[in-house]
Amino acid sequence: MEPNKSENNVGTLVDQDLSQEIQKSYLDYAMSVIVSRALPDVRDGMKPVARRILYSMWRQNLRSTARHRKSANVVGDVMARYHPHGDASIYDALARLVQDFSLRYPLIDGQGNWGNIDGDSPAAMRYTEARLKKISDEMLADIAKDTVDFVDNYDGSKKEPTLLPSAIPQFLVNGTIGIAVGMATNVPPHNLKEICLAAIHLIEHPEATVQDLMKFVHGPDFPTGGAIYNKKDILQAYATGKGGIVTRAIADIEEAKNGSFRIIVNEIPYLVNKSNLITRIADNVKADKIQGIRDLRDESDKDGIRIVIELKKDAYPKKVLNQLFDTTDLQKTFHVNMLALVDNGKQPKVLTLKDAIVEHISHRKVVITRRTTFDLARAKERAHILEGLKTALDHI
């Protein structure tokens, strides 16, 4: 039986080479993941899910001065209006925006159990509460003044912003991690003051080089602390957009009353799971990969990290510490890959430090111009009304 045919080709059979169809479909899928899910826009430094969460909370008036509201309410609103995916993925993204060990400057102020550096999951969304932090107020400021473009949401029933006005250079300040199809991004977080000083210098001296900017930006600023080694590696990462930066835990050697020594770890490298780290140390001691350790304790509390490593009396503390650096994540290389979407969020590109700051400056120029145009139009409308009232008063 011949299939029904119509003007829109519904029900029409089309001959198509299988390899071409797979190639086209996979390319469409890959570009969807790259542009609409895994990579941040360099202008506001946000992935779509995080941008939608912040905008939804702003629209619900969950500003930094408002009362906290159930996270389930936020997740439900984001899922219903803007993000057509599961609630688990939205809540995971929301939790990361709260965690001070994940972001250098958390964007959401949360109440309740939001997980910890040991890898424990946050409490269920019905138990936690959230509102925006003050820094997020700056990212969303003037969004109602036609400063950014809005597009239809997934079902055409609402409008959502294509990006945020973002006075904060979020792409560099908080960094990002994302795995797309055939590419990935790994941007380290930085100190806000350092990035702003570098931006000011670049505005005043557009010809400045990456080395000039490094007078202000000395290196990444990880939320979990730690020490960074080798300025040459940092310069390479900033100058090319790719490179490895070696980070180490902050460890002090103390002498006990009985004459033995112990190593106190107060800061660990970024993205290291503390519980797994301690387990790895214990396993290496059992496997005799590390000699000289007598006891291992985790004394961390709400005030910070404290890992105590008791040494045997005949152990050499520095030798044991070097073994720890060599065989565990107390020393870890952060592989920088500053990949982001440019050209209005359409093209993935690896950026240097200067490129990223230039993109943010250009974005702010557009936002401020559009805001000024909006304010001018409102002022002219007001002036027209006032002139009319003045004319009426003159004739009374």
Side-chain angles (χ1 to χ4, degrees):
M1 182 175 181
E2 187 175 340
N4 294 329
K5 296 184 179 181
S6 61
E7 293 181 0
N8 59 1
N9 290 330
V10 174
T12 302
L13 295 177
V14 179
D15 289 332
Q16 178 71 34
D17 183 75
L18 181 61
S19 62
Q20 292 180 356
E21 179 63 27
I22 292 175
Q23 184 178 9
K24 179 180 179 299
S25 298
Y26 189 76
L27 184 62
D28 291 343
Y29 161 73
M31 287 305 298
S32 174
V33 172
I34 290 168
V35 176
S36 302
R37 189 176 300 186
L39 298 186
D41 192 308
V42 67
R43 293 171 292 178
D44 63 357
M46 306 296 289
K47 297 178 185 178
V49 63
R51 185 183 300 120
R52 288 163 175 165
I53 289 170
L54 294 185
Y55 177 67
S56 172
M57 295 180 72
W58 177 86
R59 195 187 57 80
Q60 295 181 71
N61 290 318
L62 288 178
R63 319 285 168 84
S64 59
T65 54
R67 294 177 58 186
H68 291 82
R69 193 176 298 175
K70 288 286 186 183
S71 302
N73 178 76
V74 176
V75 171
D77 187 76
V78 173
M79 184 167 57
R81 295 174 181 269
Y82 309 115
H83 200 65
H85 299 282
D87 57 342
S89 63
I90 298 173
Y91 188 52
D92 287 344
L94 173 64
R96 188 173 187 275
L97 297 176
V98 176
Q99 295 167 344
D100 58 2
F101 54 88
S102 295
L103 297 188
R104 178 63 181 83
Y105 300 94
L107 301 177
I108 294 177
D109 179 21
Q111 283 189 344
N113 174 17
W114 288 96
N116 55 38
I117 201 169
D118 288 325
D120 295 328
S121 301
M125 67 181 79
R126 62 183 178 274
Y127 297 123
T128 59
E129 298 181 343
R131 67 180 178 186
L132 294 176
K133 274 186 170 288
K134 288 185 179 179
I135 191 171
S136 295
D137 291 343
E138 294 298 322
M139 293 192 64
L140 290 150
D142 302 321
I143 195 171
K145 292 187 175 183
D146 192 34
T147 52
V148 294
D149 293 332
F150 280 71
V151 296
D152 289 336
N153 66 344
Y154 65 93
D155 64 355
S157 62
K158 301 287 185 299
K159 294 286 185 180
E160 63 173 310
T162 56
L163 74 160
L164 303 181
S166 189
I168 307 296
Q170 162 73 13
F171 176 71
L172 289 172
V173 166
N174 271 327
T176 188
I177 298 171
I179 300 174
V181 178
M183 59 184 67
T185 183
N186 202 24
V187 184
H190 293 82
N191 184 275
L192 176 59
K193 182 178 179 180
E194 291 181 1
I195 297 296
C196 289
L197 289 174
I200 293 170
H201 182 77
L202 197 55
I203 292 170
E204 296 174 347
H205 305 88
E207 73 287 349
T209 64
V210 171
Q211 286 182 311
D212 295 332
L213 297 178
M214 282 190 65
K215 296 175 183 176
F216 306 95
V217 184
H218 304 295
D221 187 9
F222 297 114
T224 55
I228 300 174
Y229 288 83
N230 201 337
K231 286 188 176 181
K232 290 183 179 179
D233 291 342
I234 300 174
L235 175 59
Q236 179 188 353
Y238 285 164
T240 64
K242 291 186 176 183
I245 298 177
V246 177
T247 60
R248 271 187 178 181
I250 300 297
D252 298 321
I253 297 173
E254 296 181 358
E255 185 174 1
K257 293 180 180 179
N258 61 1
S260 63
F261 290 88
R262 60 183 180 179
I263 298 172
I264 309 295
V265 178
N266 295 312
E267 298 176 8
I268 61 177
Y270 185 47
L271 300 179
V272 170
N273 183 306
K274 177 167 63 68
S275 179
N276 291 345
L277 171 66
I278 294 172
T279 302
R280 179 69 179 274
I281 295 173
D283 290 342
N284 286 350
V285 172
K286 290 179 182 178
D288 209 30
K289 294 180 180 179
I290 303 175
Q291 293 89 28
I293 294 180
R294 178 173 57 85
D295 190 23
L296 176 65
R297 297 192 307 276
D298 182 7
E299 298 181 357
S300 305
D301 56 21
K302 62 180 181 180
D303 296 323
I305 292 173
R306 181 179 169 85
I307 302 172
V308 180
I309 304 170
E310 300 279 359
L311 305 183
K312 298 176 181 177
K313 285 190 176 182
D314 59 346
Y316 293 97
K318 289 188 177 180
K319 183 178 179 181
V320 175
L321 186 57
N322 286 333
Q323 290 176 348
L324 289 167
F325 288 144
D326 289 339
T327 61
T328 71
D329 282 341
L330 284 179
Q331 176 176 298
K332 187 176 181 181
T333 300
F334 186 93
H335 297 282
V336 177
N337 186 20
M338 295 173 61
L339 180 70
L341 297 174
V342 299
D343 190 21
N344 294 323
K346 299 176 182 177
Q347 181 71 32
K349 181 182 177 182
V350 177
L351 303 167
T352 66
L353 175 65
K354 180 178 178 179
D355 292 339
I357 297 176
V358 166
E359 290 284 352
H360 177 71
I361 293 171
S362 300
H363 169 57
R364 287 302 297 168
K365 285 180 180 178
V366 172
V367 167
I368 292 170
T369 301
R370 292 180 62 161
R371 181 186 68 193
T372 305
T373 302
F374 180 89
D375 288 339
L376 178 61
R378 300 291 86 75
K380 285 181 177 179
E381 291 175 2
R382 179 65 176 160
H384 181 70
I385 294 172
L386 294 177
E387 286 172 0
L389 292 173
K390 181 177 181 298
T391 301
L393 288 171
D394 290 342
H395 287 78
I396 290 177

